[in-house]
Amino acid sequence: MGEHDSDKQMVNSPLYADLLQLRQSVAAQQSHIAATLDRAASDMGGGGVWEGPVAKTFATEIEGRKGEAHSLAQDIVDAVDAVLKQTPKQVTAAQARAYRKAV
């Protein structure tokens, strides 16, 4: 079974398209992921919710976790971007068919 000329034809990469869709989905969720602790940090930082030394320790912990959530949300987008940069936008028709068959 030899290669046909149509197998060598360059087409849009379905893997690249899937990664792009993943990136768009992750980016859309990024603000939600990053904001998971924003309200709690704001409530605790403003006082009135809970007062005292343990409350201050807890507020500091929430603030730190909030920063971590923002950072991790960006890390997810950055990871997808890194894979996208390494993925060709076009592949041969045979490679595209093989990818579609595998997923």
Side-chain angles (χ1 to χ4, degrees), residues 54-66:
V54 175
K56 283 186 178 186
T57 301
F58 189 71
T60 301
E61 176 73 18
I62 287 178
E63 192 62 39
R65 299 286 179 156
K66 177 184 121 176

Side-chain angles (χ1 to χ4, degrees), residues 10-89:
M10 297 302 284
V11 297
N12 291 335
S13 168
L15 171 59
Y16 188 87
D18 286 350
L19 288 169
L20 195 55
Q21 185 176 16
L22 173 64
R23 198 243 185 250
Q24 291 167 344
S25 176
V26 168
Q29 294 294 321
Q30 181 183 11
S31 61
H32 174 71
I33 293 167
T36 55
L37 295 176
D38 286 353
R39 181 170 178 171
S42 175
D43 289 348
M44 288 301 298
V49 174
W50 182 18
E51 310 247 348
V54 175
K56 283 186 178 186
T57 301
F58 189 71
T60 301
E61 176 73 18
I62 287 178
E63 192 62 39
R65 299 286 179 156
K66 177 184 121 176
E68 190 176 331
H70 283 261
S71 177
L72 290 172
Q74 184 59 50
D75 289 349
I76 294 168
V77 173
D78 292 345
V80 176
D81 284 344
V83 174
L84 267 170
K85 286 180 185 177
Q86 297 175 359
T87 304
K89 291 181 181 180

